[in-house]
Amino acid sequence: RKAPSASSQGLPNVHSPSRRRVSQRNDKDMANDLLTEEKPHSQPPKLFRHAKTMMLREILESKVLGTITLEMKQRSDPGPFKSVKFENFLEAVHLIRQTKHDVKKLSHEVKNWLFTKKLFSGQARPTPERSNEKLARVSEFWMTFHDRYREKGPQSLAPRQKKELLGQPRGSTWHLAQRGPRQPMRALTGHVVLEQSASTPSLPSLTEARRSLAKLPAPGPRTVLLPPVPDVSRCAYLHDCEVSGTVPTTLAFVTGHSAELQATGRDMVDRDLFSLASMLPREGIDCLRLDGNALLTDRSLAPFLEKMRGEPTSGILNTLSLANCSRAGVGTLNVAVQLLMDARRLKVLNLSGVTIATRFLLPMCKAVGEHPSLDTVNLSATGINGSLLTQHCIIEILASQAITRLDLSWNCFDAEAFRQLGKEIVTNRRLRNLVVANCSAANHSGDVPISYFLEHLSRNQSLTSLDVSMNWIDFKGALIVEDQLGWNNNVSKIRLAQNPLGIFGMRSALRLLARDSNAVTDIDFEGSHRGGGLEDDMTTHVFRATNPGGRYLLDLRRPYHRSFLRMLYKICNRYELAPETAFLNLWYSNRGYVHPAQDANGVIDVPCSGRLRFVFSVAPAIDQGVQGVEDSDLAGFLEKYFSLTRLHAGWHKVLPLFANWKRLDGKEFEQRVYLNALAKDFNFTLPLLEFACRASEPFSSETIHRLFHTIPTDARGRYLSMLNFNRLGEFVWTHHNMLNLLDFNAENPTGHYRLDLANCSDFAVAEQLLLLDRWEALVGKRRGHFDNSQRGNRSHVRNETYQGHSLASNFEAICEWALPEFDELEFDYISGFRPPPNSETLSDATFEKCLVHFYASECTPLDKIAALRKVAKYFFITSRQLRTLLGNFQSPEDRSEVFVVLFLRIVDIWNAKVFTVRFPREELARLQDRLGYAAFFPFIQPENTHFALDFSSYEQRVCMSILVHLMLREKSTNLRDLYYVGPDGVHDPLPLGVPRSWEDFNRIKPGGSFKCLYVCAPEDRRYDVRKSLAATYSFYKIEVPENEVMWCTGLNEPPEHILDLLEFLLGVVPSAEEAFRKIDGEDGNGVITLIEFKQGLKEMGCTKFQGKDEKHMEEAFRYLDPGGEGSVSRQEWQIMDQIWAEFELSVREFVYFLIRTFGDDLNKAWQALDDDGSGELTEEEWMSAVEDHGYFGPAREVFLLLDRSDDGNISIDEFEVLNNFRPLPSPEASTDEAPEEEEEEETPMADSPTVDTS
C-alpha cells in the first residue's frame, strides 16, 4: 500500500518535536498497526516480514509433520504419535478449567492481600478528634478568652490572684446544665455542656468527670458531649500569654480535655513553652510530645523538663518525644538524661533529629540500656557516628532487656560499628523491630559497611521486622540477606527500599520471598529496581541457584564472599552432597582448609580470612537427583533438573510475590527489572503466567517473553500461554524475540548457536545447553566412553566464544564459566547420543512427499532449516536420503547446516561417504571443526581423505593417533603426502615415516601441525579394525557386514584424467566391470598392467589421451593402483566401480529432480531449461538454468555425461539420454500415492509422480 504524503495526513514539520515522536515509533507498535490495518506505512517493517515467514514456516512444519505422522501411526510402535483418546481430551479440558479457576482465585487473594497490607501498614495513631467536638472545644476556649476581657479587662488577673486561684483546694464538683444567656451558637441547638461549680477542679477531677459522662445515655442526633473545662487554668495560661505577648494555642491539654501534652508540629517558640509550663498540674502528665518544634531551645526546654523531673510526673510519664527539636542543647540533654533515670515507667523515647553532644552520648545510651521499662526507642539522626564511643553506645543500648523497637537510622556507622551491632543483636533476645535506614555510606571498592551487620542475622532469634533501606545495598548485600534470612523462621517483614539492588539483587530478594524455609512474607522494594550491572566487572561472582557450578576465587575477608561460600554449602546440604565431591581443585592461601559443618541452629561458620580458589560442581547430585530418567531422554532430564533446582513458591508465598507485581502496574522500568529477576531460578504454572498478564495487560507481551521458559515445556502449555496476547502485533513481536527458544529442540540439540544473553529466551537456551553438556558428560563417563571432546574435558560444547573472544584461553571447560546476562555467546554443540539399534527410518515414499513440501515452500533456506530442526526429533533417515535432501540447498553453508541438524539422525553412518562427497574439502574441514575430529572421523571409508591437523588441539592429536593405529594395521604406506611442522616451527620431512609412537596420542608433542592423505587398496582394508575404532571413538556399534557397505568415491576426489576416462567408458561399455574385462582381455589373468591398460583403451577407441596427454593416462593408472605394485587388480578396479556408481547416482538424482519438478515428460524439462529456444545449451547456460529451477547438486557432471560430442554444448538429442536413468516407481510409493492426492492438491507438485530415490 502506497503511503500518503505528509501533507495529506496533516503531519507536522519533520523538525518539530511531534514529528520526532512519530518517527521514534518502535517495531512493536508498527507491527500492531500493520496487522490491524490501522495506519498505512510506506515499507513493511522487519516484524511484518517476520510474521509472513513465521506463517510460512508453520505451514511447512505442519505439512512435513503431518506426512510423517501418517506413516508413524501405521507402525507397531508409533512413539509420540499415539492415537488421542477421549480421556486425553477430558484431561486438556480439565487443565483449561482449572487454570481459569486458579487465576480467578489468585486475583481475589492478591486483592485481599494488598488491602490487608494497606490496612495494617500505617503506624498506630490515636483516634482523631471529631470535627464537631473540636469546634465546640475551641469555641469554648475562645469564649473564656473574650469573657475575661469583657468583664475584668486585660489586667484584671494579677499575679497574686493567679497564684491564689492555682492554690485552691482540689475536689470541685461538676453538674450537667444548660447554658445561660451567653450561650455559644452551637449551644442554642441543644448541645449538652458541663458548667463549672464554685470550686476549681483539678486534672484528675476532670478525668473522673469524663468517665462519668461516658456512662450517660447517648445524646440525640443533634447533641454532643463535651468534657469539663478548667477556667482557672485557662486564666493562668492566658495571663502568661499576655505577659509574654504570645498567641494562645488551642491544644487539648490547654483546654483541659486531655492529660497528655501533645504539641507535635506547632512551630512553638520558647515563650509558648513557658506559657504551657504554667499549666502543668501537680499530679503530673503521662505523655509529652514536642515533635517538630525546631525553634525550641535550651532556654525553655531545660526548665520545662526540669519541672517534670520531680514527683508525680516522673512516676507516671510513659512517653517522651522531642523529635526534631534540633536546637536542643547540652542543658536539655543533661536534664533529659536525668529525667530518663527518674522516669522508671517510661515506655516510649523519641529523640530523633536531636544532635547528642559527644559527652552525653554514652550517658544517654547507658540510661537507655539500663531503663527497666523502655519499649520503643528512636535515636535516629542523633549523631551516633564518627565517634570512638559509637561501639560502646551500641553495646549499652542493646544491653537493654526491655526494648522491642529500636530506630538507629540516619546515623553513619562504619564497618566496625556495624560488626558490633551484629554481635549485640545475636545476644539480645528482646528486640523485635530494628530500623537502621541510611546508616551505611557508599563503598564502591568492596562490600558496603552494613554487610558486616547483615551476616549476623542468622543467629538472631528475636527480630521480626528489619528496615535496612537507603544503605547502598547492591546485589552483594542482597545475597547476604538471602543467605542469613533464607532459613530464618522469625523475620517476616524486610524493608529494602531505596537500595541499588538491580536485577541480581532483586532476584536474591525474590528468592528469599519465595522460599518456604523462612517466614518472610513482606519485602518492600520501592525505589530499589535500579542498580549497576556486571558489564564492567567480569571478575565479580554472581550466585545462580539453578546452575551454581563454576570456578571461583573468594576473598574470605569480605562478607559477600563468605555468604557466597555459605550458599554453596547449603546447596550441598540440599542435595545431600559431600563437600569433598562438590569442591574440586581446592586451594586455600592459609593452608589446611577444613570444610565447615552446620551447627544446631543451621549456621555454617566459614573462615574469615584467606583466599579460597576451587571449582564447584553439582554433577554427582545431578546423577542422583534425576534417577529414573533415561540417559537419552534429554528433554526429560531438563524437566526433572529444573523441578529440583528452581523455586516453586507455595501459596502463601505466591501472594506477596505477585501482589508486588500488581503494585508495579504502569511502571515499565520497574516491571522489566522485576520480570528479569523472576526469569531465572523460578518455575511457574500457567495460572501464574496468565495472572501476571492480566495484572498488567499493557505489559503482557513482555511478561510472556520473559517468563515463557519458566512454564511447562510441553506443547499444550506453550499453546495455552500464547493465548494471553492481547493483539496479533504483540504476538509477532514476542515470537520474533523468542525465536531461538521456540526453535530449540532438546531431543536433537546438535547445531550452531549464536545467543544474545541479554534476551531471557536466548539465555534460557544457553542455560539448557550447558546443563545438557554436563549431563551428557556424566553419562559418557558412566558408560566408559572415550573422551573425544575438543579439549579433553568431556564437554560437548565446541568453539565457544564470548564477546568475540575464545573462552578456551581462560577456562579449562565451559562448565567452569558462570553464564553472564549480557553480550553474545556463540558455540557449537554436538550431542553424544547415537541412533538406537534397529531404528526405523522414513520410507522412500514419505521422504519424497517431504521433499515435495520443502521444494514447494516459499520459505527461505534458513527457515526451511529451522523447520527441519523442529521436526527432526521425530524421524531417522538414511545416508542416501540425506544426500538427496542436500541437493535442495544451494549454498555450502546451508548444506552444512542441514547436515549438522540431521547428523545424529542417520542410521547407516557406515555409508556416510555417500553424502560427504557432496561437500568440498574446505567445507569438510569446517564440519570436522564443528562436529569434532573424532566424532566425524571417516572410520569406515577414510580413503582419499585429506587431513590437516593442529597438534596444539587435544582432539586433533587423538585424530592423528587414530590414523597411525589404522595405518599400522592396514599398510604402512597408506599415509601419503606427509608434511609436518614441529612445535618449534621447523619443518620435519619425516624421512622414516610417521613415528609409531604417535599411536598413543599422549606421546604426541603438543604444538606444530601435520598434513597427509590417506589411501588404501581394497585388498589392504581391515574392516574389523575400522568398526572397532568407530565404536571406541565415535560410539557407533556397526554390525553390518562389509559387503553391505556402500563403498563410494566422490567425483571430486580423483584427478581430472579419471573423470575423462569415465566419460569415455560410459559411452562404450555398460559397466565398469565390463570395462575391466575388455582391458584385461578374454583370457586375462585378473590383473591389468600399464601396457595392457594403454593397449586396451586404444583398442576400445579412446582418443582422450593422445599426444601430449598420454602422461595423463599413466597418472590415471597410478591412481587406480593405490598399492603401488605396478598392476591393477579386480579389487583395486573397484575404485572405478565406485566412481562409476557415484556418477550414475548423480545423474539419477538429477533425473528424479526433473520428474519431481516438471513431471514425467522430460521434454517439458528441456523446454524449461532451454528458455531461449535455441535447441542447445552451453555449460554456462546449463548451470544457470538448473540452479534457477532449484537444483544445486553436481550438475556439471551431468553436463559432461550428456556432451558426448565434446563440443561444449548439449542438444535435445543428447538430453534424451537421461531417459535411460529414470528411477523405477517403488511399490510402497504407488500404494501411498492415492490417499495423498487430496492433501497435496493445493501445491503445484501434486501431479508429480512418486519415484524411488534409490
Side-chain angles (χ1 to χ4, degrees), residues 397-438:
I397 294 172
L398 290 175
S400 172
Q401 299 301 318
I403 298 176
T404 61
R405 297 179 180 87
L406 177 61
D407 189 346
L408 296 176
S409 55
W410 293 85
N411 292 300
C412 189
F413 294 162
D414 58 10
E416 293 301 324
F418 272 118
R419 183 182 284 111
Q420 189 63 49
L421 179 61
K423 292 179 180 178
E424 295 303 318
I425 66 166
V426 172
T427 59
N428 190 296
R429 303 295 181 181
R430 180 70 177 171
L431 192 63
R432 298 289 183 270
N433 190 324
L434 178 62
V435 181
V436 285
N438 197 24

Side-chain angles (χ1 to χ4, degrees), residues 632 747-748 750 783 830-841 872-873 875-878 901-910 1034-1038:
S632 59
E747 295 293 345
N748 186 30
T750 300
R783 292 183 172 184
I830 170 68
S831 178
F833 291 103
R834 303 295 183 255
N838 303 321
S839 297
E840 192 171 356
T841 63
K873 64 180 180 180
F875 63 88
F876 294 97
I877 61 174
T878 63
V901 169
L902 298 177
F903 174 61
L904 297 181
R905 314 304 294 178
I906 304 170
V907 296
D908 56 339
I909 196 65
W910 50 89
S1034 192
F1035 322 131
Y1036 282 105
K1037 296 181 178 180
I1038 301 174

Side-chain angles (χ1 to χ4, degrees), residues 1106-1157:
Q1106 291 182 353
K1108 296 180 180 180
D1109 293 335
E1110 286 191 6
K1111 62 179 181 179
H1112 294 163
M1113 184 181 298
E1114 297 178 4
E1115 293 177 2
F1117 180 83
R1118 284 196 295 271
Y1119 178 82
L1120 295 174
D1121 180 25
E1125 300 91 351
S1127 61
V1128 178
S1129 64
R1130 280 189 182 274
Q1131 289 181 314
E1132 290 176 326
W1133 186 261
Q1134 289 179 2
I1135 298 176
M1136 202 66 191
D1137 284 335
Q1138 296 170 13
I1139 300 174
W1140 186 298
E1142 172 65 20
F1143 200 102
E1144 191 172 80
L1145 178 61
S1146 299
V1147 176
R1148 290 186 183 277
E1149 286 178 341
F1150 178 72
V1151 173
Y1152 167 62
F1153 166 79
L1154 295 179
I1155 294 174
R1156 204 163 21 99
T1157 307

Side-chain angles (χ1 to χ4, degrees), residues 206-262:
L206 297 179
T207 305
E208 295 175 3
R210 284 197 294 269
R211 291 175 179 172
S212 62
L213 285 173
K215 300 177 182 179
L216 295 176
R222 302 178 61 186
T223 303
V224 178
L225 288 176
L226 292 178
V229 179
D231 288 336
V232 177
S233 298
R234 283 183 189 166
C235 293
Y237 172 69
L238 292 174
H239 175 74
D240 283 342
C241 290
E242 293 168 7
V243 173
S244 60
T246 59
V247 178
T249 181
T250 57
L251 295 173
F253 176 79
V254 172
T255 61
H257 294 77
S258 175
E260 299 178 353
L261 177 50
Q262 301 207 26

Side-chain angles (χ1 to χ4, degrees), residues 598-865:
Q598 192 172 22
D599 62 17
N601 297 323
V603 179
I604 301 175
D605 285 321
V606 299
C608 297
S609 62
R611 298 167 68 85
L612 186 66
R613 184 175 61 232
F614 58 89
V615 174
F616 186 77
S617 174
V618 294
I622 293 176
D623 211 4
Q624 297 174 6
V626 296
Q627 290 182 358
V629 177
E630 294 291 335
D631 291 346
S632 59
D633 186 6
L634 302 183
F637 158 73
L638 289 176
E639 183 179 358
K640 181 75 171 180
Y641 180 85
F642 286 138
S643 67
L644 292 174
T645 58
R646 287 180 175 174
L647 290 175
H648 305 261
W651 181 255
H652 68 292
K653 295 286 190 172
V654 163
L655 295 180
L657 203 63
F658 283 89
N660 284 322
W661 164 251
K662 187 174 179 64
R663 292 168 61 188
L664 296 176
D665 187 20
K667 303 176 182 179
E668 276 198 23
F669 178 81
E670 287 80 359
Q671 285 180 308
R672 191 170 287 108
V673 172
Y674 201 87
L675 287 177
N676 283 333
L678 288 175
K680 284 85 177 178
D681 301 336
F682 290 88
N683 260 353
F684 295 114
T685 59
L686 284 174
L688 296 180
L689 179 63
E690 184 172 343
F691 171 79
C693 294
R694 289 189 180 184
S696 181
E697 291 191 359
F699 217 67
S700 59
S701 59
E702 292 276 1
T703 303
I704 298 174
H705 171 213
R706 285 169 167 77
L707 301 184
F708 186 77
H709 63 279
T710 65
I711 62 172
T713 56
D714 60 302
R716 183 168 53 188
R718 288 192 167 188
Y719 173 77
L720 292 177
S721 64
M722 289 291 188
L723 297 180
N724 291 297
F725 288 104
N726 296 322
R727 303 176 66 180
L728 181 59
E730 293 180 354
F731 166 72
V732 174
W733 176 82
T734 307
H735 188 280
H736 176 71
N737 288 331
M738 297 194 308
L739 194 58
N740 285 329
L741 178 62
L742 295 174
D743 288 345
F744 178 64
N745 186 348
E747 295 293 345
N748 186 30
T750 300
H752 182 77
Y753 297 89
R754 181 182 290 110
L755 304 171
D756 178 11
L757 298 182
N759 185 320
C760 293
S761 299
D762 284 16
F763 183 91
V765 174
E767 184 179 50
Q768 293 180 49
L769 284 168
L770 295 188
L771 290 173
L772 289 179
D773 174 50
R774 297 187 186 185
W775 169 247
E776 293 203 56
L778 280 174
V779 172
K781 187 175 181 180
R782 182 172 3 105
R783 292 183 172 184
H785 285 172
F786 180 83
D787 182 7
N788 62 0
S789 60
Q790 187 176 26
R791 290 186 279 155
N793 51 22
R794 291 194 173 273
S795 176
H796 295 259
V797 176
R798 307 174 49 82
N799 310 316
E800 58 270 27
T801 61
Y802 177 68
Q803 296 179 329
H805 303 287
S806 175
L807 294 175
S809 58
N810 297 322
F811 299 93
E812 294 183 4
I814 197 171
C815 62
E816 298 181 3
W817 181 59
L819 197 63
E821 296 185 26
F822 57 91
D823 229 304
E824 187 177 83
L825 173 66
E826 187 174 1
F827 60 91
D828 294 294
Y829 189 91
I830 170 68
S831 178
F833 291 103
R834 303 295 183 255
N838 303 321
S839 297
E840 192 171 356
T841 63
L842 290 179
S843 65
D844 288 336
T846 300
F847 180 75
E848 291 160 11
K849 294 173 186 176
C850 293
L851 285 180
V852 171
H853 295 320
F854 274 100
Y855 180 79
S857 175
E858 298 179 17
C859 292
T860 64
L862 292 180
D863 290 324
K864 291 180 180 179
I865 295 171

